[in-house]
């Protein structure tokens, strides 16, 4: 089989949450470039408009929806509308997320100082948001007896460190376990559920600290490859998981982390 056929997404409908920036935008770009109709969802209306324009300039008009993934009913209504419009839902990337502040490496991230407000908002977007997205997709994918759900977890789900917050570790570990349970439930319906566990990528997460010299150096020091990842470096794994090339993969949490798991 030729690579073009193995990774072909022609006529597929792919929903991406957190699509306005960083990994979600890179994922939207790669699925659109390989033939999919991409449905981009984000809470940031201005950034989402710019992101969709980038995709459209590359020749693949996208549908856009402004919504908070943590708000019950919102993602469901959008996914229901997509299925109503296109009659199918092939892949959903539950990718929207936020950092929940610094880890204990900074005084404000220490256990006794960490903000409970940030704890709650971090769990809401990363854990509630991803589960609400899985729920909304599962119903349609079960009915059509096919689909792929990809959740953005983190290396913080697999090992502890001083850099991300307590809340972020908890949310990303929680969602990794939700992925495994969903893979068990949905496998008999021919629906696959996988998680990706990125190491440090140069995105806007954490108020853009990956773009500061101090932040970049701090994170790069934790990585055997000795550098942060470029946004394009998520694209191969995203395309694999969205496409028929991964038809026997489910229930996996796949690190893409420059070697930190080694
Ligand atoms: N960048 C990294 O190093 C890294 C590492 C591991 C995991 N991740 C995860 O990758 C995913 C993408 O983050 P990123 O690094 O690209 O950051 P980013 O800040 O560049 O992008 C995150 C996007 O999610 C959107 N978003 C935030 N809260 C939302 C909400 N409630 N509803 C809808 N959209 C919302 C933001 O507006 C933004 O467009 C997140 O789940 C993040 O936790 C990132």
């Amino acid at each position: 089989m030729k690579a073009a056929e193995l990774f072909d997404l022609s006529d597929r409908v792919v929903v991406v949450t957190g699509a306005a920036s960083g990994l979600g935008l890179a994922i939207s770009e790669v699925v659109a470039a390989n033939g999919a109709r991409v449905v981009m969802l984000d809470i940031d209306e201005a950034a989402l408009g710019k992101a969709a324009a980038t995709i459209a300039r590359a020749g693949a008009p996208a549908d856009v929806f402004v919504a908070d993934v943590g708000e019950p009913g919102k993602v469901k209504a959008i996914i229901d509308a997509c299925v109503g419009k296109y009659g199918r839902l092939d892949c959903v990337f539950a990718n929207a997320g936020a950092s929940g502040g610094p880890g204990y490496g900074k005084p404000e991230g220490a256990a006794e100082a960490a903000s409970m407000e940030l704890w709650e908002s971090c769990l809401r977007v990363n854990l509630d948001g991803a589960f609400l997205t899985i729920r909304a997709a599962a119903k349609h994918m079960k009915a059509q007896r096919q689909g792929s759900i990809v959740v953005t977890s983190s290396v913080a789900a697999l090992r502890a460190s001083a850099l991300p917050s307590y809340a972020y570790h908890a949310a990303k570990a929680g969602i990794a376990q939700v992925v495994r349970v969903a893979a068990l439930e949905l496998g008999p319906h021919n629906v696959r559920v996988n998680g990706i566990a990125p190491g440090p990528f140069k995105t806007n997460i954490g108020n853009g600290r990956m773009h500061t010299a101090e932040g970049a150096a701090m994170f790069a020091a934790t990585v055997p490859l000795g550098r942060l990842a470029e946004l394009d470096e998520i694209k191969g794994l995203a395309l694999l998981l969205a496409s028929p090339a991964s038809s026997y993969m489910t229930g996996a949490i796949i690190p893409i982390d420059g070697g930190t798991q080694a």
Side-chain angles (χ1 to χ4, degrees):
M1 196 183 268
K2 298 271 193 202
E5 194 182 334
L6 207 50
F7 295 98
D8 182 28
L9 297 178
S10 296
D11 303 323
R12 307 271 171 133
V13 176
V14 178
V15 174
V16 183
T17 75
S21 168
L23 300 184
L25 177 53
I27 291 167
S28 301
E29 284 171 353
V30 73
V31 297
N34 285 276
R37 179 78 196 192
V38 62
V39 178
M40 302 169 76
L41 184 157
D42 205 284
I43 200 169
D44 183 339
E45 186 169 8
L48 185 59
K50 282 190 200 146
T54 310
I55 307 262
R57 272 197 299 278
D63 293 75
V64 293
F65 293 94
V66 178
D68 175 353
V69 292
E71 202 177 307
K74 275 280 178 196
V75 181
K76 180 180 180 305
I78 291 166
I79 286 184
D80 288 353
C82 288
V83 174
K85 181 173 176 186
Y86 295 112
R88 60 190 295 162
L89 176 67
D90 299 286
C91 180
V92 171
F93 285 87
N95 167 78
S99 77
Y104 73 83
K106 297 269 185 199
E108 64 271 33
E112 68 277 18
S115 146
M116 287 313 290
E117 212 171 281
L118 278 177
W119 170 278
E120 278 161 26
S121 65
C122 183
L123 263 76
R124 188 171 177 279
V125 54
N126 291 292
L127 184 56
D128 299 15
F131 183 56
L132 288 166
T133 306
I134 291 172
R135 277 164 68 103
K139 177 184 139 194
H140 296 291
M141 289 179 171
K142 273 183 183 175
Q144 69 190 14
R145 292 201 58 79
Q146 71 95 14
S148 169
I149 300 173
V150 184
V151 181
T152 307
S153 177
S154 167
V155 282
L158 307 174
R159 68 193 269 273
S161 112
L163 301 181
S165 61
Y166 274 94
Y168 191 79
H169 279 92
K172 293 302 189 183
I175 202 60
Q177 201 64 342
V178 170
V179 162
R180 296 183 181 104
V181 179
L184 295 187
E185 184 198 340
L186 301 181
H189 301 273
N190 193 36
V191 176
R192 301 180 295 106
V193 190
N194 292 287
I196 59 177
F201 274 69
K202 286 182 196 164
T203 71
N204 295 323
I205 200 162
N207 295 324
R209 70 173 166 159
M210 298 298 189
H211 299 299
T212 66
E214 186 208 1
M218 221 163 55
F219 279 96
T222 67
V223 179
L225 284 182
R227 62 175 177 85
L228 305 191
E230 302 295 333
L231 295 186
D232 278 352
E233 292 183 286
I234 202 70
K235 289 182 174 175
L237 180 57
L239 182 58
L240 170 71
L241 292 173
S243 71
S246 59
S247 54
Y248 201 60
M249 293 176 69
T250 195
I253 308 295
I254 304 157
I256 175 158
D257 65 350
T260 62
Q261 291 310 300

